[in-house]
Amino acid sequence: MQRKIVFVMHILLILAIFQTSPVCAWHPGELVITGDVAQEVVLAGYQGWEVVGLEYRGEAQEAIRLLPVLQYAGVLGAEGSIFLSAYDGVGAVLALGEITEECYLRLTPEYGWQFISEHHPRQAGVKFLEYVVVAAAGPDLPCLRLISGTTETVISYGSLFAVDSVQRLIIEGEAKKGDFTAAPFSRRSLIPLAQFLNKQEAAAVVAYLGDGSQVEVSLAGYLEWRGQSADYLGPDGRSRKADVKALWADAPETAVTELLSQALDALGEGRVLIILVDGLGFFELQQVQPPFLSSREVQQARTVFPSITPVALASILTGALPSEHGITARGMRELQVPDLFFYASQLGKSSALVEGNTKILNTSIRPILNPDLDGDGSTDYEVFQSAQEQLAAGVDLVFVHFHGYDDTAHSCGPFSPEAGEKLLELDGYIQALCQGFSGTVFVLADHGQHPTSRDKLGDHGLASLLDLTVPWFRWEQP
Ligand SMILES: [Zn+2]
Ligand SMILES: [Zn+2]
């Protein structure tokens, strides 16, 4: 057994030497298939791929087919382009639809990775390939969003490869050895932010990052393409924020994470009623103009990413970003930080969480669940009645979560007449809850929705203007 392991290790060592020892002046390097694909593929050789013998320019060659590599990577979207990009920055753009079984990738000591196709023009035969970047088209691509006012520019990560960039030489520091120094540098392709977000240079922008954090960045900064994602780099070209999902110029100053501190302040003065209208985007509210809510002053607020119920609810109840409270996806329930109800109890205040028919998070108090007793397909009426009971019982802090608007917007679309009807119904419940209540009222949403053209007509979860912009009401009920 021991000998077998040693033997295997010998083979691995030989393979390692074989793979890393230069066979010529040019090291072929690795070819990365990236962009709008499900998974990035790095080709260091033909291993794992069917090697095909072919005749090319009168010589017998060996190569692998490009199509199975693209299929393995999983091209997202039905159509688009592929960029064949060489180490020296030259390349060729081909139509995805024109990649056939006769398109090959060849690796030779003379030319590194090279694209070969007898059907394509000679210019497609790019040598020393570094990247094959898929820039696909389609509705569900992972995208970078640049939001300014009500304008949203959406660029898939594959397409970002083709966006104009500037070359910057970035000094990475200074190394010393005795009296001698060396300052390592790298030459980087950086995409100036100002070309998308046409505002004052000094204006601040909120960056939404993949880990659920948000940071303020500068318009004088840059984006750097990273294959299937993009990083933000500060004006110095060095300070880096990885995995940018959205950049939002003039984002609403109010954030849903402020509810916790505002509600606790108000709780010091009297009773607090918080009403969460699941899925109600700011722009939908503006379109419907429900009579009761429209008689109050509304602000825009920004929610968190990913813009889904458990993540946003956790931020609303803890005042923390997803990167801090630990809820970053569906199915996660354990909060890493204390919630609103814990702080309320520290103040000696009673609280109630009036929910629909399911528990979403493990909060410090047990939610009051309300199944759809009247069988009308929604828990809203039951939630309304349950909330009325809690208010009548004199509970200091009542948090009410209406789910019906989100459900209707999913099935009928966020700007549909049906969703508008639902909002009018909820507007009536909110008005009724406020009657006879004395204290501070907050009304907000966890996220909005955007229209889709697939099986459901509305959805959310993106770092998009419609999903991230929610209404925020606060008023004193005498
Ligand atoms: Zn929701
Ligand atoms: Zn939803």
Side-chain angles (χ1 to χ4, degrees), residues 43-170:
L43 296 178
Y46 292 166
Q47 296 91 331
W49 302 100
E50 187 197 344
V51 179
V52 183
L54 61 134
E55 176 101 350
Y56 181 70
R57 303 248 163 102
E59 277 180 55
Q61 305 283 341
E62 285 191 334
I64 60 174
R65 287 196 174 90
L66 174 58
L67 213 46
V69 178
L70 289 176
Q71 278 159 358
Y72 181 77
V75 173
L76 305 172
E79 51 190 284
S81 312
I82 67 166
F83 288 81
L84 305 171
S85 177
Y87 278 86
D88 61 2
V90 302
V93 194
L94 313 182
L96 252 178
E98 293 175 11
I99 303 302
T100 66
E101 286 287 337
E102 277 88 55
C103 293
Y104 302 95
L105 293 169
R106 183 181 70 151
L107 179 63
T108 58
E110 297 88 354
Y111 301 124
W113 284 99
Q114 183 184 7
F115 178 82
I116 288 175
S117 165
E118 294 286 7
H119 304 302
H120 281 85
R122 184 181 54 81
Q123 287 80 355
V126 182
K127 298 164 185 164
F128 307 114
L129 280 172
E130 182 182 22
Y131 293 112
V132 172
V133 183
V134 177
D140 292 318
L141 302 173
C143 286
L144 175 73
R145 285 159 202 279
L146 301 125
I147 309 168
S148 179
T150 51
T151 309
E152 185 172 332
T153 308
V154 182
I155 307 168
S156 78
Y157 293 106
S159 305
L160 193 66
F161 175 78
V163 168
D164 281 345
S165 58
V166 294
Q167 293 281 325
R168 285 259 327 247
L169 191 144
I170 310 292

Side-chain angles (χ1 to χ4, degrees), residues 289-303:
Q289 297 277 328
F292 178 67
L293 283 177
S294 297
S295 70
R296 309 283 160 173
E297 200 185 316
V298 66
Q299 282 181 55
Q300 293 188 15
R302 61 176 206 269
T303 192

Side-chain angles (χ1 to χ4, degrees), residues 302-364:
R302 61 176 206 269
T303 192
V304 294
F305 175 82
S307 49
I308 55 174
T309 307
V311 177
L313 181 63
S315 286
I316 289 166
L317 290 179
T318 64
L321 291 169
S323 50
E324 298 151 358
H325 62 56
I327 310 290
T328 55
R330 281 184 216 283
M332 300 174 82
R333 289 193 174 78
E334 293 302 330
L335 296 164
Q336 304 299 312
V337 292
D339 63 21
L340 176 61
F341 311 115
F342 169 81
Y343 290 117
S345 72
Q346 299 280 88
L347 296 173
K349 305 288 183 179
S350 58
S351 49
L353 169 57
V354 182
E355 263 295 354
N357 54 13
T358 45
K359 178 175 168 178
I360 297 165
L361 300 168
N362 292 338
T363 42
S364 64

Side-chain angles (χ1 to χ4, degrees), residues 275-285 288 303 307-310 312-313 316 360 380 400-410 413-415 419-420 422-423 426 444-451 458-461 465-471:
I275 298 167
L276 184 72
V277 183
D278 204 295
L280 176 60
F282 176 83
F283 304 103
E284 295 144 70
L285 175 81
V288 177
T303 192
S307 49
I308 55 174
T309 307
L313 181 63
I316 289 166
I360 297 165
D380 288 343
V400 188
H401 191 171
F402 287 114
H403 291 265
Y405 183 84
D406 188 63
D407 297 337
T408 308
H410 274 299
F415 293 93
K422 189 70 198 177
L423 182 51
L426 294 177
L444 75 164
D446 50 351
H447 52 79
Q449 286 209 21
H450 60 271
D459 208 356
H460 54 91
L465 180 70
L466 289 178
D467 289 8
L468 292 182
T469 314
V470 295

Side-chain angles (χ1 to χ4, degrees), residues 232-255:
Y232 165 83
L233 291 170
D236 63 357
R238 284 165 63 184
S239 52
R240 181 182 293 272
K241 301 290 176 196
D243 196 15
V244 180
K245 301 294 180 188
L247 291 160
W248 195 352
D250 299 331
E253 275 184 38
T254 306

